[in-house]
Amino acid sequence: MFNKILVAYDESPESGRTLLTGVYLAKSLNADLRAVSVLGKLPPYAGYIDAEVPGGTILLGQQATDYYRDLQTRAQQAAQREGVIELVEGDEVQAILRMRGETKAIC
């Protein structure tokens, strides 16, 4: 039936439940599971921080990256061996559609 499943995963409780459902579905179908967390760009007004804290936007970007890597680590632990977690940067919709096209997974 399905051999690849793609789940969009973020910090929301709904997303966590969706990931667990994807894990159970992947196990029952013996399918590959791929969860995607999208790291969006900082809003334009974040550039104002550099006036007060030089390099502040770089620090904010690194903190966001670290946060999502931690989020994915937790997702990977929840998915155990069945989950392959990837960090994708860019616009949420565009990044998810690009990953879907690359993996040929169902969403």
Side-chain angles (χ1 to χ4, degrees), residues 27-43:
K27 281 183 181 180
S28 67
L29 297 174
N30 197 27
D32 292 331
L33 174 66
R34 191 165 291 222
V36 178
S37 295
V38 178
L39 175 59
K41 296 180 180 175
L42 292 174

Side-chain angles (χ1 to χ4, degrees), residues 10-69:
D10 62 16
E11 63 276 355
S12 70
E14 296 81 7
S15 175
R17 289 191 294 273
T18 302
L19 177 66
L20 289 177
T21 300
V23 169
Y24 298 138
L25 184 60
K27 281 183 181 180
S28 67
L29 297 174
N30 197 27
D32 292 331
L33 174 66
R34 191 165 291 222
V36 178
S37 295
V38 178
L39 175 59
K41 296 180 180 175
L42 292 174
Y45 60 80
Y48 292 117
I49 195 171
D50 284 332
E52 290 293 319
V53 181
T57 53
I58 294 171
L59 179 62
L60 283 176
Q62 185 59 50
Q63 287 175 340
T65 299
D66 292 345
Y67 175 79
Y68 276 94
R69 289 205 192 284

Side-chain angles (χ1 to χ4, degrees), residues 26 36-37 40 43 45 55 58 85 87 89 91 93 95 99 103-104:
V36 178
S37 295
Y45 60 80
I58 294 171
I85 312 299
L87 180 65
E89 290 192 46
D91 175 70
V93 175
M99 181 60 73
T103 62
K104 307 287 190 256

